[in-house]
Amino acid sequence: MDFKRNIMVTGGAGFIGSHVVRLFVNKYPDCRVVNLDKLTYAGNLANLADIERAPNYVFVKGDITDLDQMRQVMAEYEIDGIIHLAAESHVDRSIKDPMTFARTNVLGTLALLQAARERWESLPEGYEGKLFHHVSTDEVYGALEMDGGLFEETTKYNPHSPYSASKASSDHFVRAYHDTYGMPTLVTNCSNNYGPYQFPEKLIPLFINNIRQGKPLPVYGKGENVRDWLYVEDHARALDLIFHKGKAGDTYNIGGFNEWRNIDLIKVIIKTVDRLLGNPEGHSLGLITYVTDRAGHDLRYAIDSRKLKNELGWEPSLQFEEGIEKTVRWYLDNQPWLDRITSGDYQRYYEEMYRGR
Ligand code: NAD
Ligand code: TYD
């Protein structure tokens, strides 16, 4: 079958990537969606069980740091668009193991850019009809004061963690390929995502799972840090819109205008889980355990996504209360998914991570 487009999503077996793959496979049956993923601890093909047999879906087990493999995949599948999500994504892991973050996020992005450049420059039409869409984070902008405004597309980069430093570096390489070689690239910087299929080392799924099991909820520092939360399907919709309508060379911030102090968010999660489990109100509040703060813990992230609204008409579709309710229900209804990845190796890793806190 001839496809209208061949779009490669990297990191499609991860949290956000799986939502992007599902959206594209279902919405664009005339486009082939190639999910390229190394299947690290964070990659899980069970996230895509519902679409794995779709005729326009292909999974390739691959490593973005392997330049030869990226060259081969670009040619074999005639890739004309890339939505690049593959990355190491957890700040706490980056503090323990920064080298892996530099290798995957910086060198991996560079290898992918290079493979795309070689492929597209070798074609008679060159870069026409091509796009390299790099998915990044608001964390590259650094930290805001409590009353310090919002991150705009023009905010100066000021990353603090090895994770955000590696993502910032990859963003610079993406822009360098645009400015130097004329490659059509764009960058999106999004705030914290939440929703189904998030690996339970991140705050929201970790806490839902711990409440369910009656385990302590490790709140870093005083729980006063602020994050701006966006439901993952709203992020996927924004990526779809920007991939199709965004301007090459541009940057788009994506956020929910939805700031929460960690401790307030945690109380909402506790309340929701207790209600859905039939526990009396306040039942799990005693699980809150204040632990040593994360090193270099950024105080506040908050995104100004007015450009995306004004230029492309995107807005978050879900109210936060609705999104949290859906999310908690999903994790409670999908306990086998959670149990499988919180057993064995991951469990041992997790225990090591938190030893001594
Ligand atoms: P995730 O950790 O859930 O998934 C990452 C995926 O990348 C996994 O499937 C993993 O197997 C794959 N991967 C890792 N190394 C690879 C390699 N060398 N080659 C190929 N695949 C590899 O991450 P996520 O939370 O879904 O985030 C996806 C992207 O979005 C990342 O680039 C992240 O920086 C960015 N982002 C995330 C958030 C968030 O709140 N989660 C917010 C803004 C931006
Ligand atoms: P996280 O989900 O790791 O995302 P990020 O660090 O990329 O924002 O953490 C969200 C917030 O929750 C962050 O301020 C750190 C805090 N946090 C805790 O207090 N306890 C935890 O166990 C985790 C994982 C995070």
Side-chain angles (χ1 to χ4, degrees), residues 10-19 35-45 47 60-66 69-70 84-90 100 103-105 108-109 134-139 163 167 170 188-194 197-199 201-202 228-230 232 235 239 254:
T10 70
F15 166 47
I16 302 170
S18 64
H19 290 274
N35 170 14
L36 180 125
D37 199 295
K38 184 180 174 184
L39 300 182
T40 66
Y41 79 95
N44 184 356
L45 288 176
N47 298 358
V60 177
K61 187 168 186 318
D63 184 341
I64 53 165
T65 66
D66 182 341
Q69 190 186 18
M70 293 309 101
H84 175 40
L85 296 108
E88 290 291 337
S89 68
H90 189 44
T100 300
R103 209 173 298 119
T104 300
N105 298 358
T109 300
H134 178 59
V135 178
S136 192
T137 164
D138 59 358
E139 305 192 23
Y163 164 64
K167 290 296 291 187
S170 67
T188 52
N189 297 87
C190 189
S191 61
N192 285 59
N193 284 215
Y194 71 99
Y197 300 112
Q198 186 167 31
F199 197 84
E201 63 186 351
K202 305 278 170 66
D228 174 2
W229 294 93
L230 179 67
V232 62
H235 186 192
L239 295 179
I254 310 170

Side-chain angles (χ1 to χ4, degrees), residues 25-199:
V25 164
N26 289 330
K27 188 169 170 187
Y28 304 109
D30 51 354
C31 295
R32 177 162 59 183
V33 180
V34 178
N35 170 14
L36 180 125
D37 199 295
K38 184 180 174 184
L39 300 182
T40 66
Y41 79 95
N44 184 356
L45 288 176
N47 298 358
L48 291 165
D50 54 326
I51 55 101
E52 68 188 359
R53 287 182 210 289
N56 62 335
Y57 171 70
V58 180
F59 172 70
V60 177
K61 187 168 186 318
D63 184 341
I64 53 165
T65 66
D66 182 341
L67 178 58
D68 284 337
Q69 190 186 18
M70 293 309 101
R71 286 180 176 131
Q72 188 252 318
V73 173
M74 288 297 301
E76 180 176 348
Y77 294 101
E78 300 176 355
I79 300 299
D80 53 38
I82 297 174
I83 307 179
H84 175 40
L85 296 108
E88 290 291 337
S89 68
H90 189 44
V91 174
D92 293 330
R93 286 182 189 251
S94 81
I95 295 169
K96 300 234 164 214
D97 179 16
M99 296 299 284
T100 300
F101 281 67
R103 209 173 298 119
T104 300
N105 298 358
V106 186
L107 296 179
T109 300
L110 183 54
L112 195 60
L113 283 164
Q114 182 59 21
R117 175 183 161 223
E118 289 174 14
R119 166 77 190 165
W120 292 341
E121 287 188 355
S122 76
L123 300 173
E125 76 277 16
Y127 286 126
E128 207 186 304
K130 314 292 189 297
L131 184 66
F132 188 109
H133 178 159
H134 178 59
V135 178
S136 192
T137 164
D138 59 358
E139 305 192 23
V140 297
Y141 297 122
L144 293 164
E145 294 301 322
M146 282 305 175
D147 54 359
L150 304 173
F151 294 133
E152 295 172 12
E153 284 82 359
T154 50
T155 301
K156 190 167 155 288
Y157 273 32
N158 187 19
H160 299 296
S161 73
Y163 164 64
S164 54
S166 68
K167 290 296 291 187
S169 173
S170 67
D171 295 8
H172 290 318
F173 271 108
V174 172
R175 295 192 180 103
Y177 267 62
H178 174 268
D179 295 350
T180 307
Y181 307 110
M183 184 191 278
T185 70
L186 59 78
V187 179
T188 52
N189 297 87
C190 189
S191 61
N192 285 59
N193 284 215
Y194 71 99
Y197 300 112
Q198 186 167 31
F199 197 84

Side-chain angles (χ1 to χ4, degrees), residues 89-92 137-139 163 192-193 198 201-207 217-221 223 225-227 229 262 265-266 291 293-294 297-299 301 350 354 357:
S89 68
H90 189 44
V91 174
D92 293 330
T137 164
D138 59 358
E139 305 192 23
Y163 164 64
N192 285 59
N193 284 215
Q198 186 167 31
E201 63 186 351
K202 305 278 170 66
L203 180 75
I204 291 182
L206 175 71
F207 277 34
L217 306 174
V219 180
Y220 299 166
N225 304 66
V226 171
R227 297 292 182 263
W229 294 93
N262 287 345
L265 169 70
I266 288 161
V291 298
D293 208 353
R294 171 187 279 172
H297 198 172
D298 285 336
L299 182 64
Y301 303 142
Y350 173 77
Y354 291 95
R357 271 194 190 282

Side-chain angles (χ1 to χ4, degrees), residues 243-296:
F243 178 78
H244 288 100
K245 301 257 164 55
K247 212 164 99 229
D250 255 15
T251 297
Y252 299 87
N253 279 351
I254 310 170
F257 289 108
N258 179 40
E259 292 182 51
W260 285 81
R261 266 199 329 162
N262 287 345
I263 192 64
D264 298 331
L265 169 70
I266 288 161
K267 286 180 183 161
V268 171
I269 296 169
I270 291 173
K271 200 170 172 183
T272 311
V273 177
D274 274 341
R275 176 168 49 78
L276 292 176
L277 287 179
N279 294 330
E281 185 158 347
H283 174 81
S284 302
L285 278 173
L287 297 175
I288 291 179
T289 309
Y290 291 94
V291 298
T292 311
D293 208 353
R294 171 187 279 172

